[in-house]
Amino acid sequence: MTTAQETVLQDVVIKFAGDSGDGMQLTGTQFTNNTALLGIDIATFPDFPAEIRAPLGTVPGVSGFQIHFSSDRVYTPGDMCDVLVAMNAASIKVNIKSLKPGGKLIANTDGFDAKNLRLANYTDGVNPLEDGSLHNYEVIKIDVTKLTRESLKDFPELGIKEKDRAKNMFVLGFIYWMYNRTLDSTINFLTEKFGKNEYILQSNIKVLQAGYNYGDTTETFTTRYRVEKAKLPTGKYRSIMGNQALAMGLVAATVKSGLPMFLGTYPITPASDILHELSKHKAFGIRTFQAEDEIAGISAAIGAAYGGSIGVTTTSGPGMALKTEAMGLAVMLEIPLIIINVQRGGPSTGLPTKTEQSDLLQAYYGRNGECPMPVIASATPSDCFDVVYEAVRIAVEHMTPVIMLSDGYIANGSEPWKFPQSEDLQPMEVKFKTGLSDDEIKFQPYLRDEKLVRPWAVPGTPGLEHRIGGIEKQNITGNVSYDPENHQLMVKLRQAKVDKIAEYIPDQTLDSGPAKGKVLVLGWGSTYGSIKSAVLELQQQGHAVSHAHIRYLRPFPKNLGNILRNFDAVLIPELNNGQLIKIIRDQYLVDAKGYNKIMGVPIMKSELVEEIKKYL
Amino acid sequence: MSDVATVPEAKQKPAVALTAKDFATDQEVRWCPGCGDYSILAQIQKVMPTLGIPKEDIVIISGIGCSSRFPYYMNTYGMHSIHGRATAIASGLKATRPELSIWIVTGDGDSLSIGGNHTIHLLRRNFDVNIMLFNNQIYGLTKGQYSPTSETQKVTKSTPYGSIDHPFNPLALAMGADATFIARSMDRDPKHLQSMLLRSHAHKGASFLEIYQNCNIFNDGAFEIFTEKSTKPQETLFLEHGKPLVFGTRQQKGIKLDGLKPVVVTIGEEASVDDLWIHDEHDFYKAQLLIRMFDDPRVEGHFPRPFGVFYETERACYEDIMRLQIEETIATKGKGDLDKLLRGKEIWEIA
């Protein structure tokens, strides 16, 4: 039995790193769920290569999963790690720079043999575990491979390869011991996953327990750690990932609106999980269509929307480029459509598995002709639920395609979510035109209401037969028109309709800080956590810094200009080369300053604190 | 007008008998005078009232090109969409509204060039829609460039030295994509066109009907050899299920199969009627041979060009299986419970 002392910590960052085949994403997810279920606040950052299996043991093949957990509130996955789990030499090479001095390095010694060292490009004869180069860290060497194999000696039906596949369970068990956890959540997970294969199930549980017992019996550490429950608002919580929340928001929208949902899409990283998730929900009547390409995905969604469904298409940057022309059609048709862009590093194929916010200008302007569309962005994983629900509401209530921007970091990141009850969700007002009224002789498809919205008249409705299309429409009648005055009028009307949405969205609020002050840090999308934690730190130091985070990007909330003018400086951090800043400068003539990081990874709190200080 | 957002249900029969006039709109038809599209429009307006479908349940979806102006001239629901995508848009509409009668109007550029991908995928999925491919072997709307069905060596605005592109055989493409109904007709034979439209409609599954259509401005006479009285009898072969393949001014010629090779014979000389190939619309293998009777009529000893239904088979439609999956899921698991979904498997409470 353990004689280790227990120490209570407030805040811990662990990074699990190994070869892409080492199961680090699973290990990270399991530890995340275990942590979340204890009511500890979490933020995670999975970071994996684009290749499914990059060459074994190499630097490009390293896959990492970072989790930040705390009894205080957590807004980012953390700048630096307290603990680095390194399954091989390459994972040290990639990640050692992010381990805090004095931090713990748990190394699988088997991953540091001559072959692994060579693959990780260490000079002949150099082993970082042996040469003293890691003297700044507490190095814990464990031969995970050997111990895993030994713990499975009573499983003769498993080959060496199969046994080695369970290495990550050993590590997970060991970390569970370190942080004073029970194994229940993972045993439940394994039971669900391998329930039908008792032998595999038992072998995995055996290794998990072996890892735990190793910590218990070897006295590797004289201390175990405990992180207490976080002081989150009261209520019921679950753990949620961005793409999962987004899919649920769509399900909620079909339930609450009473309209059937159709997803037309084509697989693309990092958006595919939305398709995977929605395709499970046939019990909600949701139709998912894996089309032949991105264009067919959005086109089919347009066809479904024309027929009275909530038409949705999901994609990432390159797919957005392909859908451009069809988006223009949806703008001309003035039908509801939800276009979801889970952004990734660009241009072209860019950095498929890395995060970036570089499609904002594309969402704003990236179509031929004067082609305004509302744009709305999620800030955190759980925020995807609310934002996509809002996107559907705007689309159906204002008869317009809507672009929702998420990104790879939000999509794969997870956090605790105080999930809503369906009865608490805002109802959606959806109206089909169901026939001619007494004073109507002929249906006028482009006759607008007070919101400048035209009627949604779906096929099958007697008396409303009409033709629509991509050619310019005559105002009110919808007939083809090449009339110069009419074209100008229609361009202005389509713009006015989108601008008018500002009257139906909430005012912009400050996330934190005084209403007037020295610096306003203005953000959108996934920089939320970094900005929030940097601003809070400076506020604690007594600085007059505020944070506003924009959800409604087009149109902006009506009061945004007033907020901006209350500060001496406006700083806009973005994961791009300066996009929101261009729009803000253009619309409000504010001399905003940018802070731009284009490295495929989130902004760190520490770097942002330093940047904001320049304006204080 | 009420405010309930429910999709209207399909009706069994129209309340009043409709005529061709009911399907015409008040929009001025803007094709060039003499265009083959006029005849096709007239035949479709004649056929539609006979289908027993209320006009609000008919949707015509087109892409871009001369033919794609079609929806504006039909008093049904319609969408004039974007280049090449009518098939994809129709797929989404049919998937969600299986009860609608959906007709896709497209051209050789629209469906075989820019929209080629969606055409083949719609066919393999077998949505129950009708594709009417107006093939004029030219780009008309962009004023006279060669198309993917133009013959080689064709001199056009974009091929002043003659086209070096090998043309598609549209029906072979459809066969390759496992279409379940494949037929060909022409603008200048109204009766035949009407019967092919009726057959397309009657087929449960994706119908692929190629219609030879004369562009009298940029490609006048492209199909003259098949449509003019003087040449039509010897240059065309009208297919009828269960009947021998015969043609000629006095029906004196026939097609006989020599192993897997079709041969033209004179009846009573090289062969008797009993020796001739009997057309079977359901014969998958013979359909491929028939579709390949696609000789360049400029070449000596060419086969006559077949018209009619080449092939028809039954296969489950995408929208039906899609609906079935949903119904089966609800039958076994019950209707989705949003609160259960939001709650997930594991939760914790902060008191």
Side-chain angles (χ1 to χ4, degrees):
Chain A
M1 265 310 284
T2 184
T3 52
Q5 298 292 308
E6 187 178 275
T7 300
V8 175
L9 293 176
Q10 188 194 314
D11 201 82
V12 179
V13 178
I14 303 181
K15 182 155 199 175
F16 297 93
D19 205 64
S20 3
D22 280 341
M24 290 298 100
Q25 299 303 322
L26 177 79
T27 310
T29 313
Q30 281 304 304
F31 190 76
T32 301
N33 290 344
N34 189 289
T35 308
L37 286 170
L38 291 171
I40 300 165
D41 201 5
I42 49 159
T44 67
F45 179 46
D47 183 21
F48 42 85
E51 295 78 13
I52 300 301
R53 293 279 187 277
L56 209 65
T58 61
V59 168
V62 173
S63 169
F65 188 103
Q66 188 165 318
I67 166 167
H68 181 190
F69 55 106
S70 173
S71 54
D72 203 350
R73 294 304 301 270
V74 163
Y75 303 107
T76 74
D79 293 359
M80 301 283 280
C81 320
D82 300 288
V83 178
L84 172 64
V85 175
M87 296 300 282
N88 65 10
S91 47
I92 284 204
K93 197 139 212 191
V94 174
N95 292 296
I96 196 70
K97 60 182 183 299
S98 62
L99 183 61
K100 285 177 190 165
K104 294 179 174 56
L105 170 69
I106 299 168
N108 169 26
T109 50
D110 185 57
F112 290 80
D113 61 11
K115 190 181 168 200
N116 269 291
L117 290 164
R118 197 180 61 245
L119 286 168
N121 293 326
Y122 281 98
T123 324
D124 260 0
V126 173
N127 180 348
L129 296 184
E130 314 291 347
D131 67 358
S133 63
L134 301 171
H135 65 275
N136 268 336
Y137 311 104
E138 183 186 343
V139 181
I140 300 109
K141 291 184 254 184
I142 305 175
D143 192 339
V144 177
T145 312
K146 189 174 146 210
L147 290 164
T148 302
R149 287 178 193 172
E150 267 173 26
S151 69
L152 289 174
K153 62 179 189 298
D154 296 336
F155 288 81
E157 285 176 33
L158 297 179
I160 287 291
K161 260 192 173 174
E162 286 162 306
K163 286 181 177 172
D164 286 356
R165 219 173 277 157
K167 275 187 306 195
N168 60 337
M169 286 297 123
F170 189 93
V171 171
L172 184 60
F174 181 72
I175 300 287
Y176 279 156
W177 175 83
M178 247 178 100
Y179 289 92
N180 220 335
R181 303 289 176 79
T182 66
L183 309 179
D184 302 356
S185 66
T186 295
I187 291 175
N188 289 344
F189 164 81
L190 292 170
T191 309
E192 188 159 307
K193 189 171 179 194
F194 300 118
K196 285 179 191 147
N197 193 337
E198 187 65 21
Y199 199 73
I200 298 289
L201 170 65
Q202 288 311 326
S203 68
N204 272 283
I205 293 176
K206 184 80 200 286
V207 179
L208 181 72
Q209 285 166 338
Y212 187 93
N213 294 338
Y214 180 82
D216 214 18
T217 53
T218 56
E219 299 192 0
T220 317
F221 295 114
T222 51
T223 347
R224 295 169 85 182
Y225 304 93
R226 176 180 292 283
V227 172
E228 301 287 353
K229 261 188 189 191
K231 293 158 223 67
L232 296 164
T234 57
K236 286 179 180 157
Y237 286 80
R238 62 171 290 175
S239 171
I240 193 90
M241 287 168 74
N243 275 347
Q244 203 185 1
L246 205 156
M248 284 186 199
L250 289 170
V251 177
T254 179
V255 170
K256 296 296 281 189
S257 66
L259 292 178
M261 178 166 286
F262 177 89
L263 171 70
T265 187
Y266 188 77
I268 185 169
T269 303
S272 305
D273 279 339
I274 305 169
L275 164 65
H276 303 161
E277 184 68 24
L278 273 184
S279 61
K280 290 179 202 159
H281 299 312
K282 303 219 184 309
F284 290 93
I286 293 172
R287 288 170 159 82
T288 55
F289 179 66
Q290 183 178 314
E292 57 273 22
D293 60 27
E294 295 279 1
I295 299 171
I298 186 171
S299 298
I302 288 174
Y306 175 61
S309 289
I310 300 173
V312 183
T313 191
T314 50
T315 190
S316 188
M320 278 302 269
L322 287 166
K323 293 180 197 297
T324 303
E325 188 194 11
M327 282 185 226
L329 174 67
V331 166
M332 275 302 235
L333 298 179
E334 301 193 39
I335 55 166
L337 187 71
I338 320 299
I339 300 138
I340 293 157
N341 178 0
V342 185
Q343 301 165 95
R344 64 190 218 186
S348 186
T349 307
L351 304 171
T353 59
K354 308 293 176 191
T355 201
E356 209 163 273
Q357 297 182 299
S358 46
D359 298 344
L360 178 61
L361 292 178
Q362 180 196 39
Y364 238 82
Y365 303 118
R367 293 167 291 281
N368 64 305
E370 297 291 344
C371 197
M373 278 166 70
V375 182
I376 180 170
S378 53
T380 72
S382 69
D383 193 42
C384 290
F385 179 88
D386 297 322
V387 169
V388 80
Y389 192 82
E390 259 306 83
V392 176
R393 185 187 69 80
I394 293 172
V396 297
E397 291 183 3
H398 296 267
M399 285 292 279
T400 177
V402 175
I403 293 178
M404 173 188 167
L405 297 175
S406 176
D407 67 32
Y409 168 58
I410 300 176
N412 293 314
S414 48
E415 65 177 354
W417 180 38
K418 192 179 160 185
F419 56 93
Q421 299 293 307
S422 65
E423 62 184 28
D424 299 334
L425 297 170
Q426 202 191 340
M428 281 189 208
E429 256 187 74
V430 190
K431 291 177 188 172
F432 288 156
K433 190 168 170 68
T434 52
L436 292 177
S437 57
D438 295 340
D439 54 348
E440 284 176 308
I441 300 154
K442 189 171 184 276
F443 177 48
Q444 307 289 11
Y446 281 77
L447 186 64
R448 292 162 199 279
D449 67 7
E450 71 285 355
K451 286 181 185 166
L452 300 179
V453 169
R454 79 175 196 89
W456 195 357
V458 303
T461 317
L464 302 184
E465 295 84 2
H466 67 284
R467 277 62 57 193
I468 52 178
I471 291 194
E472 184 59 284
K473 294 285 159 284
Q474 188 179 48
N475 187 30
I476 300 172
T477 67
N479 291 331
V480 171
S481 170
Y482 300 115
D483 177 64
E485 268 81 35
N486 178 73
H487 179 54
Q488 173 140 347
L489 174 69
M490 291 303 276
V491 167
K492 296 281 187 190
L493 274 173
R494 285 188 286 264
Q495 182 68 54
K497 180 181 87 167
V498 170
D499 292 344
K500 212 168 174 57
I501 294 169
E503 295 170 24
Y504 299 88
I505 57 172
D507 271 351
Q508 180 66 47
T509 54
L510 288 175
D511 190 73
S512 69
K516 281 179 190 246
K518 277 200 164 159
V519 185
L520 173 70
V521 187
L522 182 66
W524 70 278
S526 72
T527 51
Y528 177 77
S530 313
I531 298 176
K532 185 175 183 94
S533 29
V535 167
L536 288 181
E537 184 172 313
L538 288 163
Q539 284 168 0
Q540 277 158 13
Q541 292 169 19
H543 297 291
V545 185
S546 298
H547 173 203
H549 216 74
I550 306 177
R551 171 186 279 187
Y552 300 91
L553 289 155
R554 189 177 199 183
F556 286 126
K558 290 197 303 290
N559 64 330
L560 182 62
N562 291 337
I563 291 180
L564 299 180
R565 280 181 267 277
N566 282 333
F567 292 88
D568 299 342
V570 174
L571 176 66
I572 305 183
E574 292 181 88
L575 297 174
N576 58 39
N577 206 20
Q579 301 203 359
L580 176 65
I581 192 171
K582 288 191 177 71
I583 303 168
I584 291 289
R585 284 177 175 175
D586 170 40
Q587 294 205 15
Y588 300 106
L589 293 174
V590 168
D591 184 21
K593 305 292 181 196
Y595 178 70
N596 304 94
K597 184 169 183 177
I598 320 147
M599 298 180 174
V601 290
I603 297 174
M604 291 196 290
K605 176 176 86 169
S606 52
E607 60 182 308
L608 197 51
V609 165
E610 289 314 305
E611 184 65 21
I612 299 169
K613 277 183 178 167
K614 293 180 189 166
Y615 299 89
L616 290 169
Chain B
M1 173 181 166
S2 90
D3 289 347
V4 191
T6 44
V7 165
E9 306 225 333
K11 281 118 285 195
Q12 286 301 312
K13 286 271 170 189
V16 282
L18 300 167
T19 66
K21 263 193 180 165
D22 294 308
F23 285 90
T25 65
D26 57 1
Q27 297 298 294
E28 182 195 346
V29 182
R30 293 196 194 170
W31 288 312
C32 309
C35 176
D37 288 352
Y38 283 94
S39 162
I40 305 174
L41 176 64
Q43 305 329 314
I44 291 175
Q45 286 176 341
K46 264 182 211 156
V47 161
M48 289 260 169
T50 70
L51 303 179
I53 305 171
K55 61 188 164 79
E56 67 268 18
D57 286 346
I58 295 173
V59 184
I60 299 176
I61 300 182
S62 64
I64 292 292
C66 291
S67 61
S68 289
R69 292 300 182 93
F70 206 91
Y72 294 119
Y73 311 136
M74 291 292 298
N75 191 14
T76 61
Y77 281 88
M79 189 195 292
H80 177 208
S81 74
I82 44 176
H83 208 9
R85 320 300 169 203
T87 31
I89 291 169
S91 298
L93 181 60
K94 190 69 185 178
T96 51
R97 298 287 306 276
E99 77 283 9
L100 297 172
S101 173
I102 299 175
W103 301 69
I104 295 160
V105 176
T106 182
D108 38 320
D110 195 57
S111 67
L112 299 176
S113 203
I114 193 165
N117 197 25
H118 311 308
T119 303
I120 55 177
H121 288 276
L122 182 147
L123 293 174
R124 85 179 160 84
R125 293 187 182 112
N126 198 33
F127 281 104
D128 184 17
V129 297
N130 308 307
I131 299 178
M132 295 178 285
L133 194 176
F134 296 14
N135 183 5
N136 57 12
Q137 298 187 345
I138 198 80
Y139 281 73
L141 199 64
T142 50
K143 299 190 169 59
Q145 302 82 10
Y146 73 106
S147 91
T149 54
S150 297
E151 65 277 15
T152 46
Q153 298 162 34
K154 189 174 193 68
V155 174
T156 71
K157 272 196 187 146
S158 58
T159 51
Y161 294 93
S163 164
I164 56 173
D165 269 28
H166 181 75
F168 262 132
N169 173 341
L171 301 192
L173 187 76
M175 193 84 204
D178 278 348
T180 55
F181 179 91
I182 300 172
R184 181 187 289 138
S185 190
M186 59 175 86
D187 54 1
R188 298 262 171 100
D189 192 334
K191 284 241 160 67
H192 186 260
L193 179 53
Q194 284 175 31
S195 75
M196 288 301 106
L197 290 168
L198 286 169
R199 287 289 308 271
S200 294
H201 168 72
H203 174 68
K204 169 79 177 160
S207 310
F208 186 85
L209 173 60
E210 180 190 27
I211 305 168
Y212 284 166
Q213 173 245 321
N214 189 41
C215 171
N216 56 324
I217 305 295
F218 296 109
N219 200 18
D220 196 20
F223 305 109
E224 215 166 28
I225 193 165
F226 309 126
T227 59
E228 292 315 297
K229 267 193 188 144
S230 55
T231 48
K232 187 177 177 183
Q234 56 270 30
E235 296 294 345
T236 61
L237 171 65
F238 282 84
L239 304 168
E240 279 186 79
H241 183 62
K243 301 268 174 70
L245 302 188
V246 290
F247 64 104
T249 39
R250 291 168 285 112
Q251 298 282 292
Q252 78 283 24
K253 299 258 185 187
I255 311 279
K256 194 183 90 164
L257 270 180
D258 183 6
L260 286 176
K261 200 169 169 254
V263 234
V264 174
V265 292
T266 306
I267 300 167
E269 289 178 21
E270 294 110 317
S272 77
V273 174
D274 296 340
D275 299 327
L276 297 181
W277 173 349
I278 306 295
H279 181 46
D280 179 357
E281 290 171 353
H282 310 299
D283 190 322
F284 177 72
Y285 297 102
K286 280 188 183 166
Q288 328 239 0
L289 298 178
L290 206 50
I291 280 170
R292 290 296 178 180
M293 284 171 55
F294 190 63
D295 295 345
D296 187 336
R298 295 172 295 189
V299 174
E300 194 67 29
H302 60 271
F303 282 108
R305 189 71 56 94
F307 290 83
V309 177
F310 288 66
Y311 182 62
E312 182 176 23
T313 189
E314 274 179 42
R315 191 168 75 238
C317 296
Y318 188 99
E319 67 275 17
D320 293 334
I321 310 169
M322 192 179 218
R323 183 162 54 178
L324 204 65
Q325 260 192 354
I326 289 173
E327 285 169 2
E328 278 174 359
T329 308
I330 292 173
T332 51
K333 290 187 178 170
K335 234 178 162 333
D337 178 341
L338 181 57
D339 279 312
K340 210 171 140 193
L341 175 72
L342 296 177
R343 189 184 179 281
K345 282 189 191 124
E346 292 177 309
I347 66 160
W348 67 95
E349 193 157 1
I350 305 277

